[in-house]
Amino acid sequence: GPASSSARFALARALWEGAGEARRTVEVGADRAKARALVERALSDMPADADADRRAEMQGWLAAHGGAT
């Protein structure tokens, strides 16, 4: 539902930001792939009547971070 979608989105953003710290390239790529997958899942789990602004925010984040829209 909306709460789990919001939680996934928050986790995805944290993973993405954390991946920017000095770490091995392989780990950064894996974390960023997980972040994109979390947002994709959050979007797919959102009910049809979910907050349109929140959905647009997630879609925008995904588009800006190399994910499907």
Side-chain angles (χ1 to χ4, degrees):
S4 61
S5 291
S6 290
R8 283 190 189 97
F9 188 41
L11 178 57
R13 289 181 297 184
L15 268 173
W16 190 272
E17 294 303 319
E21 296 175 7
R23 295 180 29 204
R24 294 185 313 165
T25 303
V26 172
E27 292 171 346
V28 169
D31 282 352
R32 289 190 168 175
K34 287 178 195 174
R36 285 188 293 265
L38 280 166
V39 177
E40 288 168 354
R41 173 124 187 243
L43 282 166
S44 70
D45 287 351
M46 287 183 85
D49 62 348
D51 181 355
D53 290 337
R54 187 65 165 170
R55 182 182 300 278
E57 179 185 10
M58 289 182 193
Q59 289 170 330
W61 186 95
L62 199 54
H65 295 85
T69 54

